[in-house]
Amino acid sequence: MSSSFEYPRFTLGDTLTDEQRAFFAKYGFLHFRPFASPAQVQEILQATQDVQRRWLAEGVEKVNGVPIKYGQDVDGSRIVQRFAFTSQHHPVLHELLQDPRFKALFPLLEAEGGRVGENEKDGLVVNHYVNIPGSEFSQMGWHTDSLRDVFYGKRIGPMLNVGLHLDGTKATNGGLRVIPGTHRQGLGKMLFRKKYYKDVHYDPNEIAIETEPGDLTVHDGRMWHRVAQSPLVGEASRRRVMYVPLIAGKYQPKSEDSPTPFYLRFLHLVK
């Protein structure tokens, strides 16, 4: 599969189709359009702005041990560029995660006890990318989401990363890139194929995930992916996306007493 591959966009219902399951098994990702209506997208954006306003006023630095990443907007104002456990702080976002369509994705975990990780890992994360001088978050280098298990000496557990895209992003404006099929790679390639987060460069095997507002993407936690920087500057570079993990296994909720995970102590290096 090359960067020019025109992959299918699906519709997510109460259950996955055989075609959807087969595509995920081979390539490690799915793209659904649409998931949220334009009105829902605006309601979600307003909810994130409400949380941002409160956190700025209160000087929130961490939520359940996870650092909050602040930055600068196009007008010079201070904004939150990476939220964590956001659904715990607004009823609209909590209600979003109750959507029964998420359950349709649980079979992709290939494990019993699938659930939406609202209170685990980093909960519902909101990433706000903007490319301007002084921005603290305009891209994210190559990584897999399963590295955190390795950091803590754990067996890699089943995990899906589900993204709700709140802005339209053409391939020419940066955005999500994935390397299809790498969810089936061995541990060695998962650890050493690329330099985690430091490598931000184009890969000949990557494909660009072009989104419209309200699209939902799902990728296997073992898959190599990155967020490419927009070549545009200012308002045109703005991209906002929410991610929540789908997981199985032992329930491990975070609380206000939770320590900062080791891998997040370097979050400030991701720009």
Side-chain angles (χ1 to χ4, degrees), residues 2 17 25 31 79 88 106 121 134 138 158 177 202 217 219 239 267:
S2 68
T17 66
H31 186 167
I79 58 172
Q88 295 182 358
F106 291 172
K121 298 188 182 293
S138 63
R177 305 290 196 263
Y202 169 79
T217 58
H219 67 259
R239 296 162 313 193
L267 184 61

Side-chain angles (χ1 to χ4, degrees), residues 50-267:
D50 291 345
V51 176
Q52 173 178 272
R53 191 178 304 111
R54 192 180 320 129
W55 287 2
L56 285 169
E58 297 174 358
V60 175
E61 296 183 357
K62 295 181 180 180
V63 177
N64 296 340
V66 177
I68 304 305
K69 192 174 184 69
Y70 290 92
Q72 183 176 307
D73 208 346
V74 296
D75 62 358
S77 62
R78 195 166 186 242
I79 58 172
V80 178
Q81 294 203 262
R82 188 182 191 272
F83 300 70
F85 294 100
T86 327
S87 65
Q88 295 182 358
H89 297 268
H90 203 288
V92 166
L93 304 179
H94 171 71
E95 185 62 28
L96 170 68
L97 299 187
Q98 313 314 306
D99 191 305
R101 288 175 292 178
F102 285 115
K103 294 181 180 180
L105 301 171
F106 291 172
L108 299 177
L109 290 165
E110 299 180 343
E112 295 296 325
R115 60 188 180 275
V116 177
E118 182 174 15
N119 304 314
E120 300 173 83
K121 298 188 182 293
D122 296 352
L124 179 65
V125 169
V126 182
N127 289 332
H128 186 169
Y129 300 97
V130 61
N131 187 24
I132 58 168
S135 172
E136 290 295 318
F137 211 29
S138 63
Q139 64 182 325
M140 185 176 290
W142 287 108
H143 64 285
T144 74
D145 298 319
S146 295
L147 181 66
R148 66 188 69 190
D149 288 342
V150 178
F151 259 122
Y152 289 101
K154 299 178 182 178
R155 180 179 180 182
I156 295 174
M159 175 191 171
L160 307 174
N161 213 349
V162 179
L164 178 59
H165 300 261
L166 304 173
D167 294 290
T169 304
K170 296 293 186 183
T172 53
N173 195 21
L176 180 62
R177 305 290 196 263
V178 301
I179 303 180
T182 52
H183 63 306
R184 297 300 186 192
Q185 67 195 332
L187 180 61
K189 287 187 176 181
M190 198 197 82
L191 291 175
F192 303 113
R193 178 171 181 149
K194 294 183 178 295
K195 293 181 179 179
Y196 271 77
Y197 298 109
K198 295 184 68 175
D199 185 350
V200 298
H201 302 102
Y202 169 79
D203 186 292
N205 295 307
E206 74 178 41
I207 66 166
I209 307 297
E210 294 192 313
T211 60
E212 295 178 359
D215 283 8
L216 194 81
T217 58
V218 183
H219 67 259
D220 191 295
R222 298 165 293 183
M223 167 180 276
W224 280 100
H225 61 287
R226 70 180 177 114
V227 177
Q229 185 179 61
S230 172
L232 306 177
V233 177
E235 185 62 39
S237 71
R238 191 183 307 280
R239 296 162 313 193
R240 291 159 292 189
V241 59
M242 314 177 76
Y243 282 103
V244 68
L246 301 190
I247 50 184
K250 183 181 178 181
Y251 181 55
Q252 296 179 306
K254 297 285 186 66
S255 72
E256 60 182 12
D257 297 322
S258 296
T260 298
F262 177 78
Y263 59 89
L264 285 176
R265 295 178 184 177
F266 306 98
L267 184 61

